[in-house]
Amino acid sequence: MPDIPAKMRALVLKQDGYSGTATGPSIEHLSDWCALAEIPVPQPKASEVLVRIGLANVNPSDLHYIKGEYGQPRRKGVPAGFEGMGEVVAAGEDEAAQKLLGQRVAVSASRGGSGVWAEYALTDARAVVPLHPKLSDADAAALIVNPMTAWAMLDLVRQAGAKGFVMTAGASQLGKLMARLAKEMGLACVATVRREEHRSPLEGLGVGTVLNTERDDFDEMLVAAMRQVQPTILLDAVADRHSAEIFAAMPAGARWVIYGKLSPEAPALPNLGQMVFMRKKIEGFWLTEWMARASPESRRAAFEKVQERFVSGAWKTDVAATLSLDEALDGLAEALSGLNRGKVLIKPS
Amino acid sequence: MPDIPAKMRALVLKQDGYSGTATGPSIEHLSDWCALAEIPVPQPKASEVLVRIGLANVNPSDLHYIKGEYGQPRRKGVPAGFEGMGEVVAAGEDEAAQKLLGQRVAVSASRGGSGVWAEYALTDARAVVPLHPKLSDADAAALIVNPMTAWAMLDLVRQAGAKGFVMTAGASQLGKLMARLAKEMGLACVATVRREEHRSPLEGLGVGTVLNTERDDFDEMLVAAMRQVQPTILLDAVADRHSAEIFAAMPAGARWVIYGKLSPEAPALPNLGQMVFMRKKIEGFWLTEWMARASPESRRAAFEKVQERFVSGAWKTDVAATLSLDEALDGLAEALSGLNRGKVLIKPS
């Protein structure tokens, strides 16, 4: 076990609670929301573990959260960051926590714990995943939020008996993971993008139909694609008027599954006929909820299957930049501006 | 069997298809949408039956439909009217149709048939319900759309394991039926109304909380009621900003079940947190769909239970006016203006 210092450096939240705004996951300066501070290293109790963070990830949900626009209230002075990887260096007295001591793990933040944009993070034993020795640190730092969401959502598509699905924000890391998984599972996939240059990478991953929402012929292409593929699930990270248009063009019985809100736009509720006569439904998806409901066995199995794909090279995490805590404070916003080139990671020490 | 004439009088549609508008279920003059015409009496084939109409009902869905704002295209020259009662006077060759000959039945219109605002209506044998001899003609004419919807939707509430529900447009005939059924089933009910005078009739039917959406204190009353009753299903006939507000105030896991659109307003989709973190869902309910999915046995059982309640006097259909076809053409709009006083019925002959 390495020595654990009393103090650590961390990017901590500058505000408490919710902001009441809905401006979406983009920032101009990280320093508007977070400060680089030296704070006490937290101590794990009961089922908690302390993880020395090797690499932390930056997801859209982190940006929603630090801006006070996520489904959980901010806690001023507490480190931000929902996802990362590292080594368990201390553990509470519970057996589940003690068993993890010394292990290399993927970490997600838990309620009451502390965030991973810090040298150390406190979280619950249920929120860490022991790692395959051959999994790279970068893949490990981005293991939970995107890959598990991709896995869980395509499992939802499969369990719904759908032959095909639509995903918005297809060029995102999550979109690419879902594209690969769809091909493996034999599911027809229609993806939307906002730039023409995102088309061929997705087609290369086996996506049958890529629709550019910014093109003038989007409406016609959409109707043609819906008629041909007949997708009955919309996996939606955007929730704007294009999403509403896609949902309206989908066949009877379609489900609009919202898991993100990249756009600050609030589209109108679909018309009566869509919901009543065409039996369409609107719902949300949240990985935390999925993991809480899944049995320990199926959660473990899902993590194993996801890690196998990274180890075998079938999946990979594209990294656009890796920043120190200091570099992140000044440079995160700029590094994120090319989001679709790959993940931006934070290396706390 | 009575003699069947070659011609009949009927209120027939003046337009084809959809209008593309969304102005809601109100009309200024029925003559804008329907003409009183003499047309051939249709002849039943296969599983069809011909019903001599005793009384026809006027529901909001009829108004949506004649205006081209319902989920089915209009057919110019074909009689309007979705629901009524009468006697089966001719039948196609199928056994299911033949068995109904001479029976007094409740009628709903079927795809490919003709409407009930006419001396005779053609419909499918599956769309008629043989009547209890003690059921009044008025109760029979309004048996399917409202009572069966009330039954099916409270069955949905019960099956969802909810302890309580919210219903909008509580002062409607359907609202009153649901209030009575909720009391029988021991379900807590919160109802919304738009006028203060609708409060006490609902309270008299056992509705625990009646909220007036037009009062200045609606917001506070809503929050207090949601906290106290914790209703997890919203049965919604209106789908306006008040509905959206109610949904947002409901506890985690709530379902917004839309079955009507009394308001032409299109509220914005609820925010991300409502759908994702609070696991809320939006869906539709359509009786036709429910009846198509229900087994013949459970459909028959439901109709029996609903008829029993009318025969015993536990339920009753309030009738505000009964109009002939001629009177309806000129006076339906005015008769409907006091909708909450009771049903407006049409007596074709």
Side-chain angles (χ1 to χ4, degrees):
Chain A
M1 269 315 93
D3 278 345
I4 302 167
K7 295 267 187 175
M8 68 176 186
R9 299 175 79 227
L11 290 164
V12 303
L13 291 160
K14 290 172 84 167
Q15 286 100 354
D16 256 321
Y18 300 104
S19 62
T21 58
T23 55
S26 63
I27 54 170
E28 285 183 23
H29 304 286
L30 181 57
S31 56
D32 293 340
W33 314 104
C34 292
L36 185 54
E38 195 171 60
I39 58 171
V41 174
Q43 298 195 355
K45 286 190 293 268
S47 67
E48 292 168 341
V49 293
L50 183 72
V51 181
R52 194 183 54 195
I53 299 299
L55 269 179
N57 197 358
V58 178
N59 288 303
S61 53
D62 290 308
L63 305 185
H64 280 296
Y65 179 65
I66 63 175
K67 292 172 81 175
E69 299 182 353
Y70 201 65
Q72 294 159 22
R74 291 173 293 185
R75 289 177 298 151
K76 190 176 169 179
V78 174
F82 286 139
E83 180 186 42
M85 60 78 58
E87 183 189 349
V88 177
V89 292
E93 58 277 16
D94 288 8
E95 195 192 333
Q98 286 290 325
K99 278 203 307 195
L100 292 164
L101 263 176
Q103 292 204 49
R104 184 170 165 263
V105 293
V107 190
S108 58
S110 68
R111 213 175 286 257
S114 64
V116 299
W117 293 356
E119 292 180 279
Y120 294 85
L122 186 78
T123 193
D124 193 86
R126 282 174 55 94
V128 308
V129 182
L131 294 172
H132 191 291
K134 289 190 178 161
L135 195 77
S136 77
D137 284 359
D139 287 338
L143 183 70
I144 298 178
V145 174
N146 276 347
M148 281 306 297
T149 297
W151 178 270
M153 290 203 300
L154 285 217
D155 196 50
L156 179 156
V157 171
R158 195 161 47 173
Q159 288 197 14
K163 284 174 297 181
F165 68 98
V166 185
M167 61 177 180
T168 58
S172 67
Q173 288 293 308
L174 179 56
K176 286 172 188 161
L177 292 173
M178 291 201 287
R180 291 185 174 102
L181 208 47
K183 196 180 173 187
E184 267 187 58
M185 291 180 173
L187 293 166
C189 174
V190 176
T192 68
V193 296
R194 283 182 296 180
R195 291 187 209 161
E196 212 46 40
E197 69 257 34
H198 292 146
R199 177 182 301 280
S200 61
L202 281 170
E203 287 173 348
L205 293 175
V207 175
T209 310
V210 180
L211 301 174
N212 185 341
T213 56
E214 304 308 306
R215 269 173 57 159
D216 289 342
D217 62 357
F218 172 67
D219 294 6
E220 299 105 82
M221 301 298 274
L222 171 65
V223 170
M226 296 303 101
R227 215 166 271 164
Q228 196 201 330
V229 181
Q230 300 273 316
T232 46
I233 308 262
L234 168 58
L235 302 174
D236 185 23
V238 183
D240 65 355
R241 75 201 142 84
H242 292 306
S243 304
E245 201 178 337
I246 294 165
F247 184 59
M250 288 171 77
R255 286 162 62 188
W256 182 356
V257 181
I258 300 171
Y259 68 90
K261 187 83 187 80
L262 291 174
S263 162
E265 233 180 80
L269 203 67
N271 71 43
L272 182 78
Q274 292 282 323
M275 310 301 291
V276 175
F277 306 121
M278 296 185 76
R279 307 184 312 282
K280 297 188 181 180
K281 289 184 165 68
I282 310 174
E283 58 195 86
F285 176 89
W286 190 27
L287 183 65
T288 305
E289 176 63 26
W290 185 88
M291 283 173 59
R293 269 181 306 136
S295 66
E297 297 71 38
S298 65
R299 220 170 61 227
R300 201 176 308 126
F303 277 116
E304 269 169 28
K305 283 171 189 161
V306 164
Q307 291 194 55
E308 273 168 18
R309 282 170 173 77
F310 282 105
V311 170
S312 74
W315 288 7
K316 67 189 274 284
T317 302
D318 297 327
V319 178
T322 302
L323 310 176
S324 68
L325 292 174
D326 302 80
E327 288 166 346
L329 194 66
D330 294 328
L332 183 64
E334 198 196 326
L336 288 171
S337 63
L339 192 65
N340 288 326
R341 285 182 295 119
K343 281 286 171 196
V344 176
L345 303 179
I346 296 175
K347 194 172 169 49
S349 48
Chain B
M1 272 313 95
D3 278 346
I4 301 167
K7 294 267 187 174
M8 67 176 185
R9 300 174 79 225
L11 290 164
V12 301
L13 292 159
K14 289 173 83 167
Q15 286 101 353
D16 256 321
Y18 299 103
S19 62
T21 57
T23 55
S26 63
I27 55 170
E28 285 183 23
H29 304 286
L30 181 58
S31 56
D32 292 342
W33 313 104
C34 292
L36 184 54
E38 195 171 62
I39 58 171
V41 173
Q43 299 198 353
K45 288 190 292 264
S47 67
E48 291 168 340
V49 293
L50 183 71
V51 180
R52 192 183 53 196
I53 299 300
L55 271 179
N57 197 0
V58 178
N59 288 303
S61 53
D62 290 308
L63 305 184
H64 279 298
Y65 179 65
I66 64 176
K67 293 172 81 176
E69 299 182 353
Y70 201 64
Q72 294 159 21
R74 291 173 294 185
R75 288 177 299 152
K76 190 176 167 179
V78 173
F82 285 140
E83 180 185 41
M85 60 78 59
E87 184 189 349
V88 176
V89 293
E93 59 277 18
D94 289 7
E95 195 192 332
Q98 285 290 325
K99 279 203 305 194
L100 292 164
L101 260 177
Q103 292 205 48
R104 184 169 164 262
V105 293
V107 190
S108 58
S110 68
R111 215 174 284 258
S114 63
V116 300
W117 294 356
E119 292 180 278
Y120 294 85
L122 186 77
T123 192
D124 193 85
R126 282 174 53 96
V128 307
V129 182
L131 294 172
H132 191 290
K134 290 189 178 162
L135 195 77
S136 77
D137 283 1
D139 287 339
L143 183 71
I144 298 176
V145 174
N146 276 347
M148 282 306 297
T149 298
W151 179 270
M153 290 203 302
L154 285 217
D155 196 51
L156 178 157
V157 172
R158 196 161 47 174
Q159 288 198 14
K163 287 173 296 180
F165 67 98
V166 185
M167 62 176 181
T168 59
S172 67
Q173 288 294 307
L174 179 55
K176 287 172 188 161
L177 292 173
M178 291 201 287
R180 291 187 175 100
L181 209 45
K183 196 180 172 187
E184 268 187 56
M185 290 179 171
L187 293 167
C189 174
V190 176
T192 68
V193 297
R194 281 182 298 180
R195 290 187 208 160
E196 211 47 37
E197 69 257 34
H198 292 146
R199 178 182 300 278
S200 60
L202 281 170
E203 288 174 345
L205 293 174
V207 175
T209 311
V210 180
L211 302 173
N212 185 341
T213 56
E214 303 309 304
R215 269 173 58 157
D216 289 343
D217 62 358
F218 172 66
D219 293 7
E220 298 106 84
M221 301 297 275
L222 171 65
V223 169
M226 296 302 102
R227 216 166 270 165
Q228 196 200 330
V229 181
Q230 300 274 316
T232 46
I233 308 263
L234 167 59
L235 301 174
D236 185 23
V238 183
D240 64 355
R241 75 200 142 85
H242 293 304
S243 305
E245 203 179 337
I246 295 165
F247 184 59
M250 288 171 77
R255 286 161 63 189
W256 182 356
V257 181
I258 299 170
Y259 68 90
K261 188 83 187 78
L262 290 173
S263 163
E265 233 181 81
L269 203 67
N271 71 43
L272 180 79
Q274 292 283 322
M275 309 303 290
V276 175
F277 306 120
M278 296 186 75
R279 308 183 312 282
K280 296 188 181 181
K281 291 186 164 67
I282 309 174
E283 57 194 89
F285 176 89
W286 190 26
L287 184 65
T288 305
E289 177 63 26
W290 184 89
M291 283 173 58
R293 268 181 306 139
S295 67
E297 297 71 37
S298 64
R299 221 170 60 226
R300 202 177 306 126
F303 277 116
E304 269 169 29
K305 283 172 188 159
V306 164
Q307 292 194 55
E308 273 169 20
R309 282 169 174 77
F310 282 106
V311 169
S312 73
W315 287 8
K316 67 190 275 285
T317 302
D318 297 326
V319 178
T322 304
L323 310 175
S324 69
L325 293 174
D326 302 81
E327 288 166 347
L329 195 65
D330 294 328
L332 183 64
E334 198 196 327
L336 288 171
S337 62
L339 193 63
N340 289 326
R341 285 181 297 119
K343 280 287 172 196
V344 176
L345 302 179
I346 295 176
K347 193 170 168 55
S349 50

